[in-house]
Amino acid sequence: MEELVIRDADVVDGSGEPSYRADVVVDGGRIVSIVKEAAAAGCQRPKAMRELDAEGLVLSPGFIDMHAHSDLALLRDPDHSAKAAQGVTLEVLGQDGLSYAPVDDRTLQEVRRAISGWNGHGDDVDFDWRSVGEYLDRLDRGIAVNAAYLIPQGTVRALVVGWEDREATPAELDRMRQLVAEGLEQGAVGLSSGLTYTPGMYAKDAELTELCRVVASYGGYYCPHHRSYGAGALEAYAEMVALTREAGCALHLAHATMNFGVNKGRAPELLALLDDALDSGADISLDTYPYTPGSTTLAALLPSWAGEGGPEALLRRIADEESAERIRYDLEVAGSDGCHGVPVDWDTVEVSGVGDPALAGYVGRRLDGWDTARRLLLSDRLGTTVLQHVGHEENVRAIMRHRVHTGGSDGILQGSKPHPRAYGTFPHYLGHYVRESGVLSLEECVAHLTARPAARLRLPDRGRVREGYRADLVLFDPATVAAGSTYDAPRALPTGIPYVLVDGRFVIEDGRRTDVLAGRAVRRTPAP
């Protein structure tokens, strides 16, 4: 007898087609049968060792977070309710060109310092891996939800070239190509870049194109945080489209926003650019989070020249009076490339977390200028995270309607006051943008969060409620599902999601996290 039957669920299967009533049978981690309208038809209903009455609930595929920063959180926090309670059953890690594999001992320490604001310094994690394959093997020991991995181009550059602002030599470029190929062979699904973060931003387009050619040869995709989301944003998007078309590589645009005052109301221009490329044969997708503020580290706003040489060199420049004045000018007058070419408006920058508990008094405060930011950067050793209140609701709504849109939280889980998107992205789509605002229909939204990202990841048996597919499933109440997280209470869990299954096992049951660790590394499907 099979393990589980979910009775009388309203199935929204990820295809975008209208929902239907069905009994869904799960066994051995897969969906083994779907009996539509079983009760109404009066047919023999399937039986199982456990029966779950889903009357009034929607059954959908598990949600796929296309842009996650849980690279260490999945290892340090077995509970991981931040994502499991949202119905997320798969996260894509290794984002924005900076993560923890492939590394050597030197690079690991540098990267840990550089992105401590995203993931903590990692003193509570045993870094017993160096390669991509070893990191994925570590995830395979058991995690809350599944995880795929992008090779971080900035980390690869730090490993081979260092943190210098210069072109790679032919030998260095060959070594970077080799590392990307090895990571893909070991199971990575593609390559990411952070082109407003050092050292990845030091790479010219020719270098990125060569790495993307390697990615394309393995059937992976390129996921850039491109060179600007502010002044010059459209040019930055166009650059990535042209680069990947030259390389013959699929493109997935990370957190595809149009932020800052210069881009208010300009989402249609971005979408027209993408439609032209798609209509001429480009392979493009994108993700967004359903909120207006952004979130990053305070250090990320600084000009790229200040970060040359690595995190310790950056701290020395911030401490030096002459260099600090030059940084201030770039930030407040010229428009730093780290702040997307827009002079920083300190009133939009809110401290969301600090690495040093002694600095907790800054959390929740808007910064009042460079002097305060400078003191905080030095005292917190670059560990400070911030929210930037620079987005526009009309842009958010326009982009989420697009035909290649998917969902990504970009959720930074560090800090005492993180962005609410970390805990609320997926129920916020369903509650606010489906039920309350009607921006998307329920069937459209579920397709955006499930089947579309599964197609981008080239996963042949995920992202749909279909016989033979993995039983990564969510049951939610369409009348009550909502994000609990707010800017004042960002770690509050969502409502209206009573059941979440990963590989056919309940990780959320009756609204509570179980002790099940059914998640594993999801490796790249070999190209045909």
Side-chain angles (χ1 to χ4, degrees):
M1 182 177 289
E2 281 78 19
E3 297 167 356
L4 171 69
V5 58
I6 302 170
R7 290 212 185 281
D8 293 320
D10 292 320
V11 177
V12 178
D13 66 5
S15 68
E17 296 298 316
S19 65
Y20 58 86
R21 179 66 64 92
D23 292 353
V24 177
V25 181
V26 172
D27 191 66
R30 293 189 178 269
I31 300 167
V32 295
S33 68
I34 300 172
V35 182
K36 295 183 179 180
E37 302 291 349
C43 62
Q44 181 68 36
R45 305 192 70 176
K47 298 186 180 299
M49 290 183 286
R50 176 176 177 180
E51 298 185 4
L52 176 62
D53 181 3
E55 181 72 36
L57 298 178
V58 167
L59 175 67
S60 83
F63 306 134
I64 298 176
D65 188 342
M66 286 295 288
H67 193 104
H69 288 285
S70 304
D71 307 48
L72 299 186
L74 276 165
L75 301 178
R76 68 158 60 96
D77 176 22
D79 181 80
H80 202 50
S81 287
K83 295 300 178 67
Q86 292 187 61
V88 171
T89 58
L90 171 60
E91 300 184 85
V92 184
L93 313 177
Q95 300 286 348
D96 295 329
L98 288 167
S99 189
Y100 306 96
V103 292
D104 58 14
D105 291 348
R106 170 190 62 82
T107 309
L108 177 60
Q109 293 308 311
E110 292 168 344
V111 169
R112 286 175 64 181
R113 170 65 67 193
I115 56 174
S116 62
W118 293 353
N119 299 307
H121 193 255
D123 293 332
D124 52 351
V125 174
D126 179 10
F127 288 89
D128 59 351
W129 69 85
R130 293 295 181 270
S131 71
V132 170
E134 289 168 348
Y135 177 68
L136 297 179
D137 289 344
R138 176 68 180 277
L139 298 177
D140 275 340
R141 297 181 197 173
I143 48 179
V145 302
N146 297 308
Y149 189 73
L150 293 164
I151 302 162
Q153 170 259 330
T155 299
V156 170
R157 199 172 211 273
L159 176 58
V160 176
V161 181
W163 298 71
E164 287 71 43
D165 184 1
R166 64 172 177 83
E167 291 189 23
T169 67
E172 288 169 339
L173 183 54
D174 283 345
R175 177 59 177 148
M176 286 191 284
R177 280 193 293 242
Q178 180 185 8
L179 286 168
V180 171
E182 289 173 356
L184 290 160
E185 289 171 358
Q186 292 163 7
V189 295
L191 177 75
S192 78
S193 283
L195 300 179
T196 65
Y197 300 127
T198 59
M201 67 193 306
Y202 299 142
K204 302 294 191 291
D205 282 3
E207 178 181 313
L208 297 172
T209 300
E210 287 303 307
L211 299 183
C212 283
R213 292 188 199 280
V214 178
V215 175
S217 72
Y218 283 87
Y221 69 93
Y222 181 47
C223 180
H225 165 127
H226 52 269
R227 298 191 194 275
S228 177
Y229 291 83
L234 287 174
E235 293 80 1
Y237 281 111
E239 175 191 10
M240 295 297 102
V241 171
L243 186 156
T244 49
R245 298 204 74 179
E246 172 67 20
C249 186
L251 172 64
H252 181 83
L253 295 164
H255 38 58
T257 58
M258 291 287 287
N259 286 340
F260 302 92
V262 295
N263 289 319
K264 183 176 174 62
R266 298 189 71 190
E269 296 176 60
L270 166 63
L271 301 180
L273 184 159
L274 298 180
D275 282 334
D276 286 346
L278 288 162
D279 291 344
S280 62
D283 184 358
I284 301 173
S285 55
L286 60 87
D287 66 67
T288 69
Y289 47 85
Y291 299 87
T292 52
S295 178
T296 188
T297 62
L298 179 57
L301 307 185
L302 305 184
S304 59
W305 63 262
E308 186 175 3
E312 294 304 321
L314 174 58
L315 286 166
R316 289 193 295 272
R317 291 188 180 101
I318 296 170
D320 176 74
E321 293 297 332
E322 183 176 343
S323 296
E325 172 55 24
R326 186 181 168 197
I327 292 171
R328 183 205 66 77
Y329 181 85
D330 280 0
L331 276 171
E332 297 183 346
V333 181
S336 160
D337 51 3
C339 195
H340 307 279
V342 177
V344 68
D345 176 359
W346 291 113
D347 190 52
T348 68
V349 181
E350 176 187 358
V351 177
S352 59
V354 292
D356 183 352
L359 301 169
Y362 283 96
V363 175
R365 286 173 49 182
R366 304 288 179 110
L367 294 178
D368 57 7
W370 166 239
D371 288 343
T372 302
R374 181 188 179 196
R375 288 196 302 271
L376 188 52
L377 286 162
L378 291 171
S379 299
D380 207 23
R381 305 273 304 165
L382 311 181
T384 305
T385 52
V386 296
L387 303 184
Q388 272 191 290
H389 297 268
V390 293
H392 306 285
E393 178 67 16
E394 67 270 34
N395 287 347
V396 170
R397 291 183 178 221
I399 295 169
M400 75 169 63
R401 293 189 187 102
H402 194 263
R403 53 177 160 154
V404 297
H405 170 265
T406 68
S409 71
D410 195 12
I412 295 174
L413 301 172
Q414 285 295 114
S416 55
K417 197 172 184 286
H419 196 304
R421 69 193 186 194
Y423 283 72
T425 286
F426 296 88
H428 195 52
Y429 269 120
L430 296 167
H432 182 67
Y433 286 101
V434 172
R435 184 180 65 247
E436 296 173 1
S437 302
V439 174
L440 295 168
S441 73
L442 179 59
E443 288 83 358
E444 288 174 324
C445 187
V446 168
H448 289 213
L449 305 182
T450 60
R452 283 192 192 170
R456 166 52 70 217
L457 294 166
R458 299 184 63 248
L459 302 177
D461 59 355
R462 298 177 195 267
R464 299 284 183 99
V465 179
R466 182 175 289 178
E467 291 180 356
Y469 274 49
R470 293 275 186 178
D472 294 345
L473 301 168
V474 182
L475 282 154
F476 62 89
D477 182 347
T480 63
V481 62
S485 60
T486 64
Y487 293 101
D488 291 329
R491 295 185 187 277
L493 296 179
T495 57
I497 306 179
Y499 300 99
V500 181
L501 293 88
V502 173
D503 201 35
R505 301 169 65 191
F506 286 94
V507 297
I508 299 291
E509 188 169 11
D510 295 323
R512 299 182 183 88
R513 178 71 172 95
T514 69
D515 60 1
V516 168
L517 296 175
R520 297 293 185 269
V522 174
R523 290 167 169 81
R524 178 188 57 85
T525 302

